[in-house]
Amino acid sequence: MHVLRLLILICASLWLAGPAGASSALEDFLPSASAADLVPGGEGFGAIHEDVDVAPVLKGGETIAWVFVTSDFVGTTGYSGKPIHTLVAVDPDAKVIGVRLVKHSEPIVLIGIPEEKIEALVAGYAGLDLIAEAKSGGTAHDVDIISGATVTVMVIDDSIVRSGLKVARALGLGGLAPEAADAGPDLAIDPDAAAPLHWAEAEGDGTLRRLSLDVAQVNAAFADHADPRAQARALTETPETNFIDMQVGLVSVPAIGSAVLGAAANANLRDWLSEGDSAIAVMARGLYSFKGSGYVRGGIFDRIVLIQDDVSVRFRDRDHRRLNGIALEGAPQFTEMDLFRIPASSGFDPAKPFRIQLLVQREVGPIEKVFHTFDLGYQLPPKYLRAVTPPAVEVVSIADREESTAQSDLWRRIWEGSQLEIAGLGAMLAVLTGVFFFQNFAVRNAKVYRIFRLSFLTVTLVFLGWYANAQLSVVNLMALFNSFVSGFSWQAFLLDPLTFILWFAVAAALLFWGRGAYCGWLCPFGALQELTNQIARKLRIPQWTLPWGLHERLWPVKYIIFLGLFGVSLMSVEQAERLAEIEPFKTAIILNFVRAWPFVAYAVALLVAGLFVERFYCRYLCPLGAALAIPARIRMFDWLKRYHECGNPCQTCSRQCPVQAIHKTGEINPNECINCLHCQVLYQSETVCPVVIKKVKSRAKLAASPVTPRFIQTPTPTNRT
C-alpha cells in the first residue's frame, strides 16, 4: 500500500507539474563548447546577452564575434521530428566564421552516412555572407546536399541562414537594420474580392503563377554544375519535352479558394485551417514530380519549400492534403494536385510576395545525386488586397519571442491530424481491456482465441509499428527522467500522440496486469518476434526450451542492461541513447530495416534466434521490458487463475508457457509473464489440463450411473402433552 500511495503521489505531481523555466539552447550547449574551435583566435565566451540569446566571443577582452544556437531563433525540426541544434558564430561584418553541429536526432543520418560527413558539411558554412543572403532572400549560396540526407541538410541550411539574419539584424551587424516592432501589415486580404471566372483569366491577372521548364532548360542548368557527372547524365528526351509545368495559387484567399476548389472543397479547406493559417494549391504535370517517390508518412516534402524574406516553410505530411479536382472552367489536366497548409506560427504574410523553390535532382551514381533549384515567384494581385490601419503592438525583444506558443499550436495540430491513428489505438486498447476483464469468456474456445491473438499481433506490428511508428523505447523513459532534472514540460511529450497515449495506457496496465499488457500485446517488435516464430513452427523449425537453471540465469541480463543504461543517462543522455541501440526497434520497426548493415544484421540475428527460442530478445535482453517489470509487482489484482494441483504434481502449464514464466512449483512470475493467456486456455481445456479432465470424467461417470430413488418416511410427531 505504501508503494501504491507513492505511485499515486508521483502521478499527481506529473499532472500538476507545469513547464519549468526552460533555459535557452545556448545556455545548454555553450558550457561544453570551445571558443578556439569555433572561432579562430577565440579565447573564451562572455555573458549571454540579456535581450537576445547570443554570447560574445572574446579575444584579449574584446568581442570578435557573436555566438548563438539556431534553435533559439527559428524552428529546426528535422526528419526525426526533433530539433537540430547548430552552434553558429557571426562576426561584426555579418559573416559566419564558425559553425558546429552540436546535437541532432536524425535517424536518416544513420543510413550509411558517416556522422563526420554531416559535421564537415555544417562546418563548411564558415564564410557565409549574411548581407548577401539578406539581399537575395537566402539564395546567394549553393546548398551542398548529401544524397540520403536531403531533408536534414536542407533544414540545417535553412536554420543557419534564417537565424543568422535574425541575429545580424537584432545586433545591427554589417549595417543590417535591427528588427523593428511588428506593427502589422499595411495590406490585408479582402474577403469581398471578386473570383476569376475562367482559368485563362486566373493566369492572366496573376491569381495563378506558373513555372514551366522543358528538358533543354534543365539540361542547361545542370551543364553548369561543378560535378561533371551532372552533364554526362543529361536527360535524353527531346529538348522541347515538358519537364514540369507547375502552377501555384494562394487558395486560402476566399475568392481564389472558391474559384479553384469549388464550394464544397473550399468549405473543407476552411474547416482544416486554423485562425491565421494560409494554404496554397500546387498543381503540376510533366516528367518530374514536385512530391517525389521518397516521401513517406511522417516525413517532409523535400522537393518544394516556401520562402518569404527570412521565413522558410517546409511542408510535412500533417500539412498536406490531396486535391481531387479543379472547379475553375478551362483548367488543364494535371497529374499532381495537392494542398499545403502554412501555419500561422511560421510568420508567413499572405499579403507579401513569396516564392516556391523547386529542388530538381539528377542521379549521377548508384546512390549519389546532384541538385539544382528553380524559383516560382508569387504575389497576390492588388484586387485581392485592401489597405488596413496597422494595430498598435507592444514591442518585444527576440528573446521574448520564444516558440512555446508555436509548439503548443504544433502539438494540437499534430493531434488533430492524427485522429485516425488515435482512433485506431483507442479501439485496440478498448478491445484488449475487454479481453483482460472477460478473459474466461475470451479463452473459452482455444482455436478462436488463437486466431484472435495472432490477428491482434498482426495489427500491432503493421498498424502500430510499421505504419504509425508507435514503438515505445527505453529512451523514452530516460528522456522522461532527464526532463524532471532539466525542467519538465508536457509539450515535449505531446508531440507524439500515440506514444503519449501508449505510455499512459502502460502506466494504468501496470496497476492492473503488470508489464504483460504492453510486452505481450502492444509491442510491435514483440509481435514481430512471435509472428515469425509461429511461421517457424509451421515450417517445422525445431523449438528449443532452455534448461530451467540456464533460463533463470539469463533473464536477469535485461535488468543489468537497463540499470547500465540508466546509470549512463545520469551522466549523458546522448551517450545513453547511443548505447540504447541494443534495442532493435529503430531498425526493425521505425526504419523498416533500411539502415546501415551492422544494425540490420543485429536485428535479423535477434529475429533468427527467436525462430528457435520464442521471444528470445524479450526474455533475455530487452531493457524496456526490464524497466516495466520492476514495478510489475505493485499490480492490485491477480487475474490469472491457478489450481491447487498446478506445479504439484501437474507441470503442463510450466512446460507449455511460451516464455517460461511459470515456475516448476506452479507460481507465475509477474516479472516475466507477457499475459498471453495461454495458461488460461489450458486452465479450461478439457483435453490438456489434468484437473479439468478429471472433473469432466467425474461428471460423466456421475451422469452415467443409475439413480436409485430413496423414500424417506416422515416420523409421526410425538404428543408431549
Side-chain angles (χ1 to χ4, degrees):
M1 290 304 293
H2 293 294
V3 175
L4 181 58
R5 292 192 187 99
L6 178 60
L7 181 67
I8 294 173
L9 288 174
I10 293 174
C11 293
S13 66
L14 289 180
W15 278 111
L16 295 175
S23 61
S24 68
L26 183 63
E27 291 177 316
D28 295 335
F29 296 118
L30 193 61
S32 59
S34 169
D37 290 341
L38 186 64
V39 178
E43 297 174 353
F45 300 108
I48 296 177
H49 200 284
E50 292 183 357
D51 298 324
V52 187
D53 286 324
V54 298
V57 181
L58 305 176
K59 180 181 180 181
E62 296 184 358
T63 299
I64 60 172
W66 294 91
V67 64
F68 61 92
V69 177
T70 54
S71 52
D72 281 331
F73 295 91
V74 297
T76 61
T77 302
Y79 194 91
S80 65
K82 297 181 180 180
I84 301 174
H85 304 284
T86 309
L87 196 66
V88 182
V90 182
D91 69 9
D93 295 326
K95 288 187 178 180
V96 175
I97 57 175
V99 188
R100 294 290 183 275
L101 181 63
V102 291
K103 184 180 180 182
H104 72 84
S105 303
E106 297 294 272
I108 199 168
V109 176
L110 299 174
I111 308 176
I113 301 174
E115 187 86 12
E116 295 78 13
K117 192 171 184 178
I118 298 293
E119 293 175 349
L121 179 142
V122 172
Y125 277 85
L128 183 71
D129 188 347
L130 293 174
I131 297 178
E133 298 302 326
K135 293 178 180 178
S136 65
T139 61
H141 68 291
D142 295 325
V143 183
D144 185 13
I145 297 176
I146 298 175
S147 297
T150 307
V151 171
T152 302
V153 172
M154 293 176 72
V155 169
I156 292 173
D157 171 82
D158 170 68
S159 65
I160 291 174
V161 174
R162 287 200 295 132
S163 61
L165 288 172
K166 286 193 173 186
V167 170
R169 286 172 175 155
L171 301 177
L173 304 178
L176 292 176
E179 284 190 333
D182 185 6
D186 295 326
L187 298 173
I189 303 299
D190 184 359
D192 301 321
L197 302 177
H198 195 275
W199 186 268
E201 178 187 348
E203 283 188 314
D205 65 10
T207 298
L208 299 171
R209 300 296 174 107
R210 182 178 188 180
L211 172 65
S212 183
L213 299 171
D214 58 29
V215 167
Q217 291 172 299
V218 175
N219 280 339
F222 279 103
D224 297 330
H225 198 279
D227 192 331
R229 295 176 298 174
Q231 184 175 3
R233 295 291 186 96
L235 298 171
T236 57
E237 287 81 3
T238 57
E240 64 275 7
T241 302
N242 176 31
F243 181 77
I244 188 170
D245 181 13
M246 185 172 73
Q247 304 212 29
V248 173
L250 192 63
V251 290
S252 52
V253 176
I256 300 177
S258 62
V260 175
L261 307 180
N266 187 47
N268 291 334
L269 175 68
R270 305 298 151 189
D271 293 337
W272 185 39
L273 300 179
S274 301
E275 184 177 357
D277 289 353
S278 300
I280 57 172
V282 184
M283 304 148 285
R285 53 185 175 175
L287 299 176
Y288 193 70
S289 167
F290 65 81
K291 290 191 297 185
S293 59
Y295 163 73
V296 294
R297 186 200 168 276
I300 299 176
F301 292 87
D302 60 0
R303 293 189 179 183
I304 58 171
V305 58
L306 183 149
I307 301 172
Q308 184 183 70
D309 299 328
D310 57 6
V311 172
S312 177
V313 180
R314 299 190 183 278
F315 302 107
R316 302 186 76 93
D317 68 326
R318 57 179 170 266
D319 297 317
H320 163 258
R321 283 187 177 181
R322 291 180 180 175
L323 179 58
N324 296 322
I326 300 173
L328 196 58
E329 184 180 351
Q333 293 294 320
F334 292 105
T335 55
E336 292 182 314
M337 299 180 293
D338 296 84
L339 297 173
F340 294 95
R341 178 172 53 189
I342 308 168
S345 59
S346 67
F348 173 76
D349 184 354
K352 293 181 179 180
F354 64 92
R355 69 181 189 273
I356 301 296
Q357 189 175 81
L358 175 70
L359 182 71
V360 177
Q361 62 186 34
R362 172 169 291 179
E363 295 183 359
V364 295
I367 59 172
E368 293 182 87
K369 299 175 183 177
V370 293
F371 303 85
H372 191 84
T373 58
F374 299 89
D375 287 349
L376 184 157
Y378 191 97
Q379 183 173 8
L380 273 177
K383 71 176 186 177
Y384 297 110
L385 302 171
R386 58 183 175 85
V388 295
T389 302
V393 179
E394 181 183 358
V395 178
V396 294
S397 67
I398 290 180
D400 293 331
R401 289 199 295 263
E402 298 292 344
E403 294 195 353
S404 58
T405 301
Q407 291 178 0
S408 177
D409 293 339
L410 174 61
W411 73 257
R412 287 187 174 90
R413 287 197 303 272
I414 292 174
W415 280 67
E416 292 172 0
S418 303
Q419 292 181 5
L420 176 62
E421 292 86 347
I422 293 172
L425 176 57
M428 292 179 67
L429 293 175
V431 170
L432 186 58
T433 302
V435 168
F436 283 164
F437 271 107
F438 304 101
Q439 64 184 33
N440 288 344
F441 175 79
V443 302
R444 183 172 299 174
N445 188 310
K447 184 177 181 180
V448 172
Y449 174 74
R450 174 180 169 80
I451 295 173
F452 164 77
R453 175 163 171 79
L454 294 179
S455 300
F456 194 98
L457 291 177
T458 302
V459 174
T460 296
L461 174 62
V462 177
F463 173 70
L464 276 189
W466 288 335
Y467 175 76
N469 292 160
Q471 170 73 65
L472 301 187
S473 167
V474 71
V475 175
N476 302 138
L477 292 176
M478 293 188 296
L480 177 62
F481 179 81
N482 182 258
S483 71
F484 292 144
V485 176
S486 60
F488 181 82
S489 173
W490 282 110
Q491 291 184 358
F493 299 96
L494 288 168
L495 291 175
D496 191 342
L498 295 191
T499 301
F500 185 84
I501 294 171
L502 267 177
W503 273 118
F504 265 86
V506 169
L510 287 175
L511 295 176
F512 284 85
W513 300 287
R515 78 178 183 104
Y518 177 76
C519 295
W521 294 84
L522 296 171
C523 175
F525 188 77
L528 178 60
Q529 288 183 96
E530 185 163 333
L531 292 172
T532 52
N533 180 266
Q534 292 300 315
I535 295 173
R537 291 173 184 268
K538 290 291 184 182
L539 298 176
R540 300 185 181 277
I541 293 177
Q543 300 297 301
W544 300 340
T545 300
L546 299 184
W548 183 259
L550 177 60
H551 169 69
E552 276 194 316
R553 285 159 180 78
L554 284 179
W555 63 254
V557 172
K558 61 178 175 285
Y559 296 94
I560 298 173
I561 294 173
F562 168 68
L563 293 175
L565 289 174
F566 184 76
V568 172
S569 71
L570 298 178
M571 298 178 290
S572 172
V573 175
E574 290 77 13
Q575 182 64 25
E577 289 179 352
R578 294 189 184 96
L579 295 176
E581 287 291 351
I582 194 171
E583 292 182 327
F585 306 155
K586 183 187 293 184
T587 301
I589 304 301
I590 306 301
L591 296 177
N592 299 323
F593 295 99
V594 181
R595 206 176 182 192
W597 73 265
F599 296 99
V600 176
Y602 171 66
V604 171
L606 292 177
L607 291 174
V608 170
L611 299 179
F612 300 92
V613 180
E614 185 169 349
R615 286 182 176 255
F616 175 84
Y617 173 78
C618 296
R619 293 160 71 172
Y620 305 123
L621 298 176
C622 182
L624 176 62
L628 297 180
I630 291 173
R633 290 190 177 276
I634 68 172
R635 71 193 195 286
M636 296 184 294
F637 306 100
D638 285 323
W639 298 85
L640 303 180
K641 296 182 178 181
R642 311 294 288 147
Y643 292 113
H644 291 297
E645 294 85 350
C646 292
N648 185 22
C650 182
Q651 297 292 322
T652 302
C653 292
S654 175
R655 288 192 297 265
Q656 292 197 25
C657 178
V659 293
Q660 292 180 266
I662 302 178
H663 288 272
K664 298 296 183 181
T665 54
E667 296 90 354
I668 297 175
N669 184 351
N671 291 348
E672 302 303 308
C673 178
I674 61 170
N675 279 73
C676 65
L677 301 184
H678 181 65
C679 60
Q680 300 307 289
V681 174
L682 299 178
Y683 183 86
Q684 300 188 53
S685 175
E686 297 181 356
T687 59
V688 179
C689 179
V691 178
V692 177
I693 293 173
K694 183 178 180 181
K695 290 181 178 179
V696 171
K697 288 182 177 180
S698 298
R699 288 197 297 267
K701 183 177 180 180
L702 182 63
S705 62
V707 179
T708 303
R710 297 182 179 180
F711 300 97
I712 301 175
Q713 182 175 2
T714 303
T716 303
T718 304
N719 189 351
R720 296 183 180 274
T721 58

